[in-house]
Amino acid sequence: MSGDLQLNKIFGAGLAAALVIVGVRVGVDALYHTDAPEKPGYFVDVPEEAAGGGATAEVELLPDWGTVLPAADQAAGQKAFAKCVSCHNVASGGADMTGPGLWGIVGRPLAAHAGFAYSDAMVAHKAEAPNWTYDELYGFLSSPSKHIKGTKMAFAGIKNKDEKINLIAYLHAQGSAGYAIPAPDASRQPGAAPAADAPAEGAADVAPVSTPPSNPATTPAGDPAPAN
Ligand code: HEC
């Protein structure tokens, strides 16, 4: 029957096409031998957050240490230190663990605990930040791996601002009491107007400027420094 024959032809053509496809695929696989990817999943090289957006997101008013430290809750800070005890000891002369001993850490030079093998990243960061200032600790504890790319401190970081402040106040009391607490800094107060209206020295009331700047030519680069 011609109808059946027709069907057979169609079927046959389809089969041939399928075989060709399979054959081509096998051939292609042979040509472009694809192994399992080196890294599981896809590695998407995402560029750093769009410069502008990222930068603004990072802007956070650092604590005004002179105000917040004296008022900090050290007991709460000690509790927060529970997040650190699996790797750190804060006792005087305490042994290094996974992380270095932290007695006297506030104000201490970076990567300075004798005998501890710091990461290259931590050592290199000393060029940028020689000491563990309050700001430096705050930044590091917020996100260790962001603050010092390549640090081997495997800790996600602490989000809560008060928790960080309390923890730093606690650490300050563990061997760092000699490291001064700075005077309150109005420019760090929430809502502080940046620099513009910060009085220079004494906050003498400045008369509204109605006169043009007097003899601008005389002091172009500031007064010469006093003899000693
Ligand atoms: C999983 C282990 C681990 C945890 C948890 C951890 N750390 Fe660390 N920490 C380390 C390691 C390891 C280093 C050394 C990092 C390097 O060399 O890059 C380090 C380094 C540090 C340093 C720098 C020390 C120095 O001598 O310069 C500070 C400060 C610090 N940690 C504070 C803390 C605090 C505070 C916590 C708790 C909130 C904490 N760490 C939690 C492992 C840890």
Side-chain angles (χ1 to χ4, degrees), residues 30-164:
L31 275 178
Y32 304 101
H33 182 74
T34 48
D35 266 324
E38 280 172 37
K39 299 181 187 189
Y42 293 95
F43 177 67
V44 183
D45 194 4
V46 182
E48 290 284 298
E49 198 133 300
T56 35
E58 294 274 321
V59 172
E60 186 199 339
L61 204 57
L62 285 161
D64 175 24
W65 298 109
T67 304
V68 299
L69 281 179
D73 182 346
Q74 286 189 23
Q78 182 168 16
K79 270 194 198 150
F81 192 73
K83 294 180 175 173
C84 324
V85 295
S86 60
C87 300
H88 290 288
N89 189 310
V90 77
S92 171
D96 287 340
M97 299 162 69
T98 305
L102 292 182
W103 169 258
I105 189 64
V106 187
R108 191 167 93 184
L110 262 77
H113 204 252
F116 186 82
Y118 291 93
S119 65
D120 294 344
M122 178 68 77
V123 172
H125 194 69
K126 288 172 83 150
E128 217 174 291
N131 291 76
W132 284 113
T133 62
Y134 300 107
D135 285 351
E136 196 55 33
L137 270 175
Y138 189 86
F140 183 60
L141 295 178
S142 297
S143 177
S145 61
K146 254 197 199 167
H147 194 77
I148 301 180
K149 285 201 174 59
T151 179
K152 62 176 181 178
M153 171 156 143
F155 178 71
I158 298 175
K159 283 232 157 64
N160 185 280
K161 188 168 186 169
D162 289 337
E163 189 179 355
K164 280 179 281 197

